[in-house]
């Protein structure tokens, strides 16, 4: 078999092409060492960034100052500890393919369009089968994050929600404790992509069934609530945080999960918001409680809108969701300057008074003007002083 010279696509690239889909990203491989690559790119005046990957054989050129590509020297893993590997460079493409996690990720594409497939990845791709290269137990022990990657790629290529190879699941179950030593950021990166893909709910349940929960910050998942969520809302393009929130009983559980997975502040606050507001709400109008959440928010209003939208999806309230999406957020016509100009002394009174007058404005469906609300100020000031 002739060797490809430099180019390799990851599944996101080559796999998509083989499935006749648009390639999303490209990974490159080469027999050139990092030093040789740096010499070549420097000679061609190509800027290189993020040199931290050099010790693992990866150089990142930035092309036309617009797009970055990772180019990695062929390598083999000499020593692994379940998280990181000490590598040795090689010129043998099959040895490099052998260190890959999944067969569908072990294929190469030459410049002439030839696919180089050492471990039947193409066959697995056509059969929509996710399989580890060689011995699954060995591959997983090399890097326990491969457990999470298995589920992510299952969602990428499988045609059925629960068509896993039982032996593969048994091997995963026997190795899940290795995830306790993998950083939360790496786990969340894979889990998030899984929950954004196909069969998100089913894959999450399978992950929990093999015992992943306790090692990713969900020691006591509320499976009944997850089933309720999937039955009523799975078709509503749920955010990954909705799936996770369903497994959590209270906001303390959100704190525990965040401590393990290290969410962004946006994701963390969404989880808190969903858990806090997913229950029934009463109001003069069904949408009113959710309008209040937006208008009285202490966070960015844009984020509050996103969070309310997600709560409505979580609850399966499609009619309310449609109404909320059509709602034009009104502007509260009172501010601190107006209060000051109409006799409200600066200080601690400002907050309670402005909140009270805003409640009145909301209850009257935002119909009152600045002049209307100003007329109410004397009575509200007296009411506050008497407290």
């Amino acid at each position: 078999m002739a060797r490809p010279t430099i180019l390799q696509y990851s599944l996101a690239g080559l796999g998509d092409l083989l499935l006749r889909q648009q390639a999303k990203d490209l990974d490159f491989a080469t027999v050139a060492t990092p030093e040789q690559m740096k010499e070549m790119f420097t000679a061609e005046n190509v800027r290189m960034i993020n040199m931290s990957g050099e010790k693992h054989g990866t150089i990142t050129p930035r092309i036309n100052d617009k797009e970055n590509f990772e180019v990695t020297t062929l390598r083999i893993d000499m020593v692994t500890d379940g998280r990181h590997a000490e590598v040795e460079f090689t010129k043998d493409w099959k040895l490099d393919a052998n260190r890959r996690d999944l067969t569908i990720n072990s294929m190469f594409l030459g410049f002439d369009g030839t696919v180089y497939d050492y471990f039947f990845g193409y066959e697995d791709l056509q059969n929509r089968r996710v399989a580890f290269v060689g011995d699954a137990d060995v591959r997983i022990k090399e890097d326990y994050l491969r457990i999470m990657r298995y589920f992510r790629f299952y969602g990428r290529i499988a045609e059925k929600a629960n068509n896993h190879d039982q032996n593969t699941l048994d091997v995963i179950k026997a190795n899940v404790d290795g995830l306790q030593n993998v950083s939360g950021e790496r786990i969340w990166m894979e889990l998030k992509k899984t929950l954004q893909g196909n069969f998100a709910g089913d894959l999450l349940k399978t992950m929990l069934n093999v015992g992943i929960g306790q090692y990713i910050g969900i020691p006591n998942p509320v499976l009944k609530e997850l089933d309720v969520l999937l039955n009523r809302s799975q078709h509503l393009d749920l955010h990954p945080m909705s799936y996770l929130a369903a497994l959590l009983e209270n906001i303390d559980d959100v704190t525990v999960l965040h401590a393990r997975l290290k969410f962004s502040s946006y994701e963390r606050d969404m989880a808190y918001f969903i858990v806090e507001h997913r229950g029934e709400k009463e109001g003069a109008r069904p949408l009113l409680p959710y309008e209040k959440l937006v208008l009285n928010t202490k966070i960015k209003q844009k984020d509050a809108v996103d969070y309310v939208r997600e709560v409505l999806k979580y609850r399966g309230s499609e009619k309310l969701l449609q109404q909320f999406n059509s709602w034009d957020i009104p502007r509260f016509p009172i501010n601190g300057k107006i209060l000051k100009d109409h006799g409200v002394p600066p200080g601690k009174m400002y907050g309670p008074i402005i909140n009270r007058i805003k409640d009145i404005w909301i209850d009257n469906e935002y119909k009152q003007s600045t002049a209307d609300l100003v007329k109410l100020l004397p009575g509200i000031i007296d009411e506050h002083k008497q407290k």
Side-chain angles (χ1 to χ4, degrees):
M1 179 184 291
R3 295 175 183 166
T5 53
I6 185 170
L7 181 60
Q8 175 224 342
Y9 283 96
S10 68
L11 170 70
L14 177 54
D16 286 337
L17 291 175
L18 294 176
L19 291 174
R20 300 186 184 280
Q21 299 172 1
Q22 179 70 40
K24 294 182 175 64
D25 58 69
L26 304 174
D27 290 338
F28 292 88
T30 179
V31 295
T33 66
E35 284 300 322
Q36 291 171 325
M37 283 192 278
K38 286 194 293 183
E39 290 175 6
M40 287 188 284
F41 290 131
T42 299
E44 297 296 329
N45 294 316
V46 175
R47 185 160 70 95
M48 290 164 279
I49 64 171
N50 189 23
M51 303 306 289
S52 61
E54 184 176 344
K55 64 180 179 179
H56 301 294
T58 300
I59 300 296
T60 306
R62 183 167 179 79
I63 307 301
N64 296 328
D65 206 30
K66 290 182 179 180
E67 193 166 5
N68 304 330
F69 294 97
E70 291 188 350
V71 186
T72 302
T73 306
L74 299 185
R75 55 192 177 170
I76 54 177
D77 295 338
M78 301 303 293
V79 179
T80 61
D81 62 4
R83 292 184 298 170
H84 309 292
E86 294 181 15
V87 302
E88 182 178 289
F89 301 139
T90 181
K91 295 183 182 296
D92 190 319
W93 292 83
K94 185 173 182 178
L95 287 179
D96 184 89
N98 186 61
R99 62 172 292 279
R100 306 279 169 166
D101 51 3
L102 305 170
T103 60
I104 54 177
N105 289 340
S106 68
M107 296 181 284
F108 300 97
L109 179 66
F111 279 130
D112 62 357
T114 301
V115 174
Y116 296 82
D117 179 14
Y118 300 100
F119 298 103
F120 306 102
Y122 180 74
E123 181 179 326
D124 287 339
L125 193 62
Q126 296 306 304
N127 292 325
R128 304 304 178 106
R129 176 174 178 262
V130 183
F132 287 95
V133 172
D135 188 327
D137 186 69
V138 172
R139 292 288 84 78
I140 290 172
K141 282 183 166 65
E142 289 171 345
D143 183 354
Y144 290 102
L145 188 68
R146 288 173 171 174
I147 291 173
M148 306 304 296
R149 285 174 59 80
Y150 165 83
F151 290 106
R152 171 160 74 90
F153 281 99
Y154 186 96
R156 284 286 303 273
I157 74 165
E159 292 182 317
K160 298 179 181 178
N162 295 293
N163 194 30
H164 303 274
D165 174 69
Q166 188 56 49
N167 181 64
T168 298
L169 292 183
D170 291 343
V171 173
I172 288 174
K173 187 172 184 177
N175 283 283
V176 288
D177 60 343
L179 286 170
Q180 64 189 323
N181 296 318
V182 179
S183 73
E185 292 91 339
R186 294 180 74 208
I187 290 174
W188 176 229
M189 184 181 298
E190 295 295 333
L191 178 57
K192 182 178 180 178
K193 291 176 181 177
T194 301
L195 297 179
Q196 290 170 328
N198 299 325
F199 316 125
D202 293 287
L203 288 173
L204 185 55
K205 289 200 289 185
T206 301
M207 284 187 265
L208 294 170
N209 287 338
V210 298
I212 285 176
Q214 64 178 309
Y215 302 108
I216 65 171
I218 314 175
N220 299 298
V222 186
L223 293 173
K224 184 177 180 180
E225 177 69 9
L226 178 60
D227 285 333
V228 170
L229 175 71
L230 297 181
N231 288 334
R232 74 186 177 198
S233 303
Q234 189 169 211
H235 63 292
L236 293 177
D237 189 27
L238 293 168
H239 190 281
M241 300 314 297
S242 277
Y243 292 106
L244 296 181
L247 297 170
L248 308 177
E249 187 171 353
N250 51 50
I251 58 174
D252 290 337
D253 288 348
V254 177
T255 302
V256 170
L257 183 58
H258 170 59
R260 178 66 179 103
L261 296 186
K262 305 295 190 298
F263 300 129
S264 69
S265 59
Y266 176 88
E267 294 163 343
R268 175 202 64 205
D269 291 346
M270 177 182 283
Y272 280 127
F273 193 95
I274 293 171
V275 170
E276 183 177 358
H277 296 292
R278 63 188 171 187
E280 293 285 345
K281 291 190 178 295
E282 296 182 357
R285 295 178 290 108
L287 194 62
L288 181 59
Y290 301 102
E291 294 174 3
K292 285 184 175 181
L293 287 175
V294 171
L295 295 169
N296 291 325
T297 187
K298 299 294 190 293
I299 61 176
K300 294 177 183 177
Q301 191 174 79
K302 179 182 180 298
D303 290 349
V305 169
D306 290 346
Y307 297 170
V308 168
R309 186 177 289 120
E310 195 61 31
V311 165
L312 293 173
K313 288 196 291 183
Y314 183 104
R315 291 180 50 78
S317 303
E318 294 186 60
K319 185 176 180 180
L320 279 184
L321 178 61
Q322 186 176 18
Q323 292 175 13
F324 183 76
N325 287 335
S326 300
W327 178 53
D328 291 325
I329 302 174
R331 188 182 67 83
F332 183 47
I334 297 292
N335 56 37
K337 183 178 185 303
I338 293 174
L339 293 185
K340 181 180 178 181
D341 291 345
H342 289 82
V344 179
K348 294 181 179 180
M349 291 181 66
Y350 264 50
I353 288 176
I354 208 163
N355 288 337
R356 177 75 180 99
I357 204 165
K358 180 182 279 189
D359 286 340
I360 295 172
W361 174 70
I362 292 172
D363 289 340
N364 283 280
E365 300 187 14
Y366 327 114
K367 296 175 182 176
Q368 290 151 304
S369 65
T370 302
D372 295 329
L373 295 172
V374 164
K375 293 176 182 177
L376 303 176
L377 279 176
I380 294 173
I381 293 172
D382 289 341
E383 178 184 303
H384 180 75
K385 287 179 177 179
Q386 291 172 12
K387 287 185 179 180

